Amino acid sequence: MLYTRQIPDQIIATFLGGKDTWPNQTFKTVRYQPPQLQISKLGEALAPGLLFFTATSTDGSEETAPLIMTDTGELVWNGQQGKHGNLLVQTLDGNNVLSMWRGSGSADTAIAGHGYGKVEILDTTYTEIYTVCPELDLVTPNNTKYDCYADLHESYITERGSILVTAYNITTADLRSVGGPRNGWVYDPMFYEIDIKTNETLFHWSPTASGIPINATHQPLDGTGSSQSDPFDWFHTNSVQSIGTGYLVNSRHLWTTFLLNSTGGIKWNISGDTGGSFTLPKQNIFSWQHHPRAQNITSTSLELHYFNNANAGPPFNGTSPTTGLELSLDLTNFTVTVIRNLSDPNDALYADTQGSFTPLSNGNVFMGYGQIPKFKEFGPDGDSDVRMTVTFGDTKTQSYRAYRESWNATPSAAPDVYAENATAYMSWNGATDVTSWTVYTGTDGADLATAGSVDRSGFETSFGIAANATRVKVAAYAGDVFLLTNPKSTFLLSTSPSTTNTYSNMCFGYYRVYAGCHHIFDQVITCECYDGYDEHTGLCNTGDLYEEDPPLELDPAEIECPLCGGDQGQDGLRMLLDDTELSDDEEENREKGEDEEEGAYASGEPNTVAQAQAFQQAQALAHQPAQGEPDQDMLAPEEDYGEAEEEVEEEDDYTHIENVVFAQAQAIQQAYNTNQFEVEVHQLAYEPTAEVEAIEQEILARQERRRVFLANSNYHMSRGRQIQNAERRFVRQVVRDIRRQMRPRGR
């Protein structure tokens, strides 16, 4: 072999009967864990393009996400975790787009055999431009309701700008011909043609309504079909393609592919066992097949290729190797000729479910083996010409289909940069054209200077920096061309120091803050993005956040806030410093609202849902024992406390707050005057100093005193709310003052 990327046999434990799991890749800059690829190549010419697949774990033990990787095992793009299927490049309005299904269910018939979800269409910046989520009146097992009802098997974009999706309905049928009840239940796996831009249904077809006899199926009844919750899957639509004004529809369980006219009438069919409308060169030429596609279509002939599973039930039961089958159909004489039937003689595979067959631009063929975590690329010379084999997991990992395709993309999301131990690490999830990085370092915002350039080396590139550097910034290049992010983004890298101070997706005093969440005084403040939230990248579209109280619609429970280090709630203080400055009138209105809210608390009558929830939480606290040893004067009888409260001057209330908050704000300002593409190489980010620890202890003590304070009475709760709002106002004022001092003249 000319090229082999071999993973040690002791690691591939599943194939050897061990207990270890398949190894994953890890990175400094991001939390993705794509699988390591075991790759073998024979040195013969391969087709250009990247590998597209949806790594799916059947037992939840491995990361499940859509992936784009190179044929040398490098990650290119890692999509959001979740159940996905059929990730591929298609053309819409003359432009390349990335489409994928996302939802619930599984293509593995041993688990579910279908799904309910939506089709997402992304442009070359990985921005979701369309979502196909049609309103379909479908019956589901147990009448379960779903947000979207598109099935996972097909998402084919037509030349007319529509999309073909499968959708699994349930209906009643007479099953006596297959040994079932008269009033039985069956899956009716329909397909729909949907207008991508409006989600309007343009056409739909039902195999049950078409008149195809149920007893034509090869799928055994096996006790199903007696109830709505367990319908008989007699047809199993798993592929649809538009051909002119008609449709090519595949039935896995009938071993048959149908050509329909524009109104859904059957023009002809080809069956793997009997031939259907055609005469076969031999019987049982294909069975349990997936991914049929027609090409080189004329009025008298076409070529049809399949991923021929040839397994999954009687009469084969794992005794017939899965093949890549390509046929020539004579539409005049209705005869069939086998062009090729591909199977690796040294690695026979038996795939019961799923799979794909894709002819490549150089005459090669790329096959994904569905439930078996392997890809193979065959050359034009048949079985003996296996040019590449890729393994991406153990027997618990699969990918419904897999593709090898060309794709060029520059993400709208920002690159990621991380630094530690005098080394900077940089990556840009989804960027296909980066050839090099330029690195800038310095000790403050005014002295960033070029530290050097480094050629891109895989998904994540590293570069040594000076030990005394406290800031690092990177810029991506394709050759000599500087790669900008989406023009809508506020984060445009430049070769000169930026004057924009943006604080998100970086460490603040030991924590890494991701879009959508931050903490202040260890209290969760809900955040929302200025320009919308990108669920694929997990970041704001612009990277900026702002805070609002009461919480906005964005649910903080749905957003992960991973740590840079340490234990959550113990190390560091997370604070968001955004670039939004309120006018004096806006600030006055905001504080007025807070005062009105305090009045509602003082009256003991919460007037919003958020207030009512806080009220209930405070009442619950009254029944909890205090932690630690709070000041005894905080535990004084209520009548004595009221007198003591009046004796404390307002200025004294905030002396502690001023000392703590201003010290923290100064530390942040001094260490983190940077933008989205910068990360500080500073002691605060990795090892809290004694001063920071002292501040943390003060804050924790303050929180404990406030907790006891709130637990005594509604009056105490009202006063605690006033102090909390005072803290917020003071922090905002400190931040505004700091920013004014930091502004360059003439801004």
Side-chain angles (χ1 to χ4, degrees):
M1 294 182 182
L2 183 65
Y3 175 91
T4 301
R5 177 171 177 156
Q6 187 73 23
I7 298 173
D9 287 343
Q10 63 268 28
I11 296 179
I12 311 176
T14 301
F15 296 117
L16 301 178
K19 297 182 179 180
D20 295 337
T21 58
W22 190 267
N24 294 327
Q25 302 180 43
T26 58
F27 307 99
K28 295 283 189 179
T29 52
V30 292
R31 298 170 61 245
Y32 308 134
Q33 294 187 353
Q36 292 188 26
L37 303 186
Q38 179 172 281
I39 306 165
S40 64
K41 301 177 182 177
L42 293 179
E44 300 296 330
L46 297 171
L50 303 170
L51 309 181
F52 293 72
F53 60 107
T54 50
T56 302
S57 176
T58 59
D59 66 354
S61 62
E62 302 292 337
E63 180 175 292
T64 296
L67 298 170
I68 305 175
M69 302 184 74
T70 69
D71 63 11
T72 58
E74 295 176 2
L75 177 65
V76 174
W77 179 71
N78 199 125
Q80 186 180 20
Q81 290 194 42
K83 290 185 177 179
H84 295 78
N86 208 28
L87 173 71
L88 78 157
V89 178
Q90 301 196 73
T91 301
L92 178 62
D93 296 334
N95 299 312
N96 283 343
V97 295
L98 198 62
S99 67
M100 58 185 163
W101 176 88
R102 181 183 176 197
S104 60
S106 172
D108 190 337
T109 53
I111 299 174
H114 63 281
Y116 300 96
K118 60 185 176 180
V119 179
E120 300 170 335
I121 300 176
L122 315 182
D123 65 14
T124 54
T125 69
Y126 300 95
T127 300
E128 186 171 329
I129 54 176
Y130 297 109
T131 301
V132 179
C133 180
E135 296 182 5
L136 305 178
D137 186 19
L138 301 183
V139 178
T140 64
N142 303 313
N143 293 315
T144 304
K145 299 297 182 183
Y146 296 91
D147 293 334
C148 300
Y149 288 86
D151 173 51
L152 56 85
H153 283 98
E154 191 60 87
S155 48
Y156 182 93
I157 296 178
T158 71
E159 294 181 352
R160 46 190 176 265
S162 57
I163 189 169
L164 304 177
V165 298
T166 47
Y168 273 58
N169 188 39
I170 296 175
T171 188
T172 57
D174 187 341
L175 297 180
R176 287 178 296 173
S177 64
V178 291
R182 174 194 292 271
N183 299 314
W185 294 85
V186 296
Y187 279 117
D188 187 16
M190 303 184 289
F191 79 82
Y192 286 77
E193 182 170 3
I194 304 293
D195 186 303
I196 291 174
K197 299 172 184 177
T198 66
N199 273 272
E200 176 187 1
T201 297
L202 305 176
F203 178 80
H204 78 279
W205 183 80
S206 159
T208 302
S210 70
I212 299 172
I214 291 178
N215 61 6
T217 187
H218 293 277
Q219 178 75 359
L221 190 64
D222 283 344
T224 63
S226 60
S227 67
Q228 178 182 336
S229 61
D230 190 21
F232 179 39
D233 190 6
W234 69 283
F235 192 86
H236 200 88
T237 304
N238 64 13
S239 177
V240 189
Q241 177 189 8
S242 64
I243 297 182
T245 59
Y247 308 91
L248 190 73
V249 184
N250 187 65
S251 168
R252 177 181 188 263
H253 291 173
L254 266 64
W255 305 358
T256 301
T257 303
F258 299 86
L259 181 66
L260 310 180
N261 60 27
S262 60
T263 62
I266 298 174
K267 297 179 66 174
W268 53 254
N269 71 81
I270 177 170
S271 295
D273 55 344
T274 66
S277 305
F278 293 82
T279 300
L280 300 179
K282 63 177 183 177
Q283 285 189 326
N284 296 329
I285 195 171
F286 62 83
S287 60
W288 310 110
Q289 72 286 350
H290 284 79
H291 202 214
R293 287 289 189 260
Q295 62 183 14
N296 300 326
I297 303 168
T298 71
S299 61
T300 60
S301 67
L302 61 78
E303 294 176 2
L304 187 61
H305 54 75
Y306 292 95
F307 182 82
N308 175 28
N309 295 80
N311 288 285
F316 306 116
N317 290 318
T319 61
S320 179
T322 296
T323 67
L325 179 63
E326 191 167 6
L327 307 174
S328 175
L329 274 58
D330 183 333
L331 301 181
T332 300
N333 300 309
F334 285 87
T335 57
V336 176
T337 302
V338 176
I339 300 175
R340 49 186 164 184
N341 196 23
L342 301 172
S343 177
D344 187 344
N346 299 314
D347 185 23
L349 299 174
Y350 302 83
D352 288 352
T353 71
Q354 311 164 73
S356 55
F357 177 110
T358 307
L360 301 174
S361 59
N362 67 343
N364 290 0
V365 168
F366 185 78
M367 292 175 61
Y369 284 80
Q371 72 175 139
I372 299 175
K374 283 192 177 186
F375 317 135
K376 287 184 183 290
E377 184 169 335
F378 291 83
D381 295 333
D383 286 359
S384 61
D385 196 5
V386 181
R387 300 190 173 187
M388 180 178 71
T389 298
V390 177
T391 306
F392 62 91
D394 54 29
T395 54
K396 301 185 296 295
T397 305
Q398 52 190 230
S399 178
Y400 169 54
R401 291 177 182 169
Y403 301 89
R404 183 177 179 90
E405 298 181 297
S406 296
W407 173 249
N408 293 91
T410 300
S412 60
D416 293 283
V417 60
Y418 176 79
E420 66 177 6
N421 300 325
T423 303
Y425 301 86
M426 60 220 73
S427 66
W428 200 357
N429 186 36
T432 60
D433 301 327
V434 176
T435 59
S436 66
W437 297 90
T438 297
V439 182
Y440 306 88
T441 60
T443 56
D444 60 44
D447 72 344
L448 285 177
T450 303
S453 295
V454 58
D455 289 340
R456 178 187 178 278
S457 56
F459 179 80
E460 185 174 81
T461 302
S462 62
F463 182 80
I465 58 177
N468 65 342
T470 58
R471 307 172 190 277
V472 59
K473 174 179 174 180
V474 299
Y477 285 83
D480 295 330
V481 178
F482 169 60
L483 296 175
L484 294 175
T485 57
N486 189 318
K488 292 182 179 179
S489 173
T490 60
F491 299 113
L492 298 180
L493 287 170
S494 63
T495 55
S496 60
S498 171
T499 59
T500 302
N501 300 310
T502 305
Y503 298 83
S504 66
N505 197 22
M506 62 179 65
C507 290
F508 291 110
Y510 216 55
Y511 279 92
R512 186 167 192 174
V513 182
Y514 272 68
C517 52
H518 73 285
H519 286 59
I520 181 169
F521 297 109
D522 204 38
Q523 177 184 358
V524 174
I525 307 273
T526 314
C527 299
E528 185 170 301
C529 304
Y530 286 133
D531 193 30
Y533 178 73
D534 188 338
E535 60 182 4
H536 297 287
T537 63
L539 299 173
C540 295
N541 288 341
T542 63
D544 280 346
L545 309 175
Y546 65 91
E547 66 170 286
E548 184 81 9
D549 191 17
L552 298 166
E553 293 181 359
L554 189 62
D555 184 2
E558 297 178 355
I559 303 171
E560 292 185 358
C561 300
L563 308 181
C564 283
D567 298 324
Q568 186 161 5
Q570 297 297 323
D571 296 313
L573 300 171
R574 282 178 286 187
M575 180 181 295
L576 179 73
L577 303 181
D578 63 38
D579 277 336
T580 302
E581 293 190 19
L582 301 178
S583 67
D584 292 339
D585 290 340
E586 290 172 330
E587 185 67 20
E588 182 178 351
N589 290 335
R590 183 175 194 167
E591 294 176 1
K592 181 180 178 181
E594 291 173 348
D595 292 337
E596 291 174 352
E597 188 178 49
E598 291 165 12
Y601 274 94
S603 68
E605 298 177 357
N607 57 10
T608 69
V609 174
Q611 291 171 2
Q613 292 173 342
F615 185 87
Q616 294 171 357
Q617 292 170 0
Q619 286 184 320
L621 280 174
H623 302 286
Q624 297 179 6
Q627 298 178 0
E629 296 294 335
D631 295 342
Q632 291 301 311
D633 61 345
M634 299 300 291
L635 300 178
E638 184 171 345
E639 59 273 12
D640 295 336
Y641 184 85
E643 295 176 1
E645 179 71 23
E646 294 176 355
E647 296 174 359
V648 178
E649 296 183 0
E650 188 73 6
E651 291 78 11
D652 292 336
D653 272 349
Y654 302 124
T655 300
H656 172 79
I657 300 172
E658 289 178 1
N659 291 337
V660 174
V661 176
F662 190 74
Q664 176 67 7
Q666 280 190 321
I668 293 174
Q669 184 267 331
Q670 293 170 2
Y672 300 107
N673 177 21
T674 182
N675 67 18
Q676 170 72 19
F677 293 115
E678 302 173 18
V679 62
E680 296 303 328
V681 188
H682 189 280
Q683 189 176 16
L684 281 175
Y686 311 106
E687 181 178 339
T689 62
E691 290 80 6
V692 172
E693 291 178 338
I695 292 172
E696 293 172 358
Q697 293 304 315
E698 284 288 329
I699 294 295
L700 292 174
R702 180 74 175 180
Q703 290 171 334
E704 178 58 21
R705 286 195 294 270
R706 186 189 303 140
R707 188 190 73 80
V708 178
F709 180 75
L710 290 175
N712 279 277
S713 69
N714 292 346
Y715 172 81
H716 295 165
M717 185 176 69
S718 173
R719 185 62 181 141
R721 184 68 175 176
Q722 292 171 355
I723 294 175
Q724 185 183 68
N725 285 336
E727 290 175 340
R728 292 177 181 170
R729 287 195 290 268
F730 184 81
V731 170
R732 289 198 294 268
Q733 184 60 50
V734 169
V735 171
R736 285 198 298 272
D737 291 342
I738 290 173
R739 288 214 183 86
R740 291 189 183 103
Q741 297 172 11
M742 290 161 47
R743 284 180 183 161
R745 294 182 179 179
R747 179 178 176 181

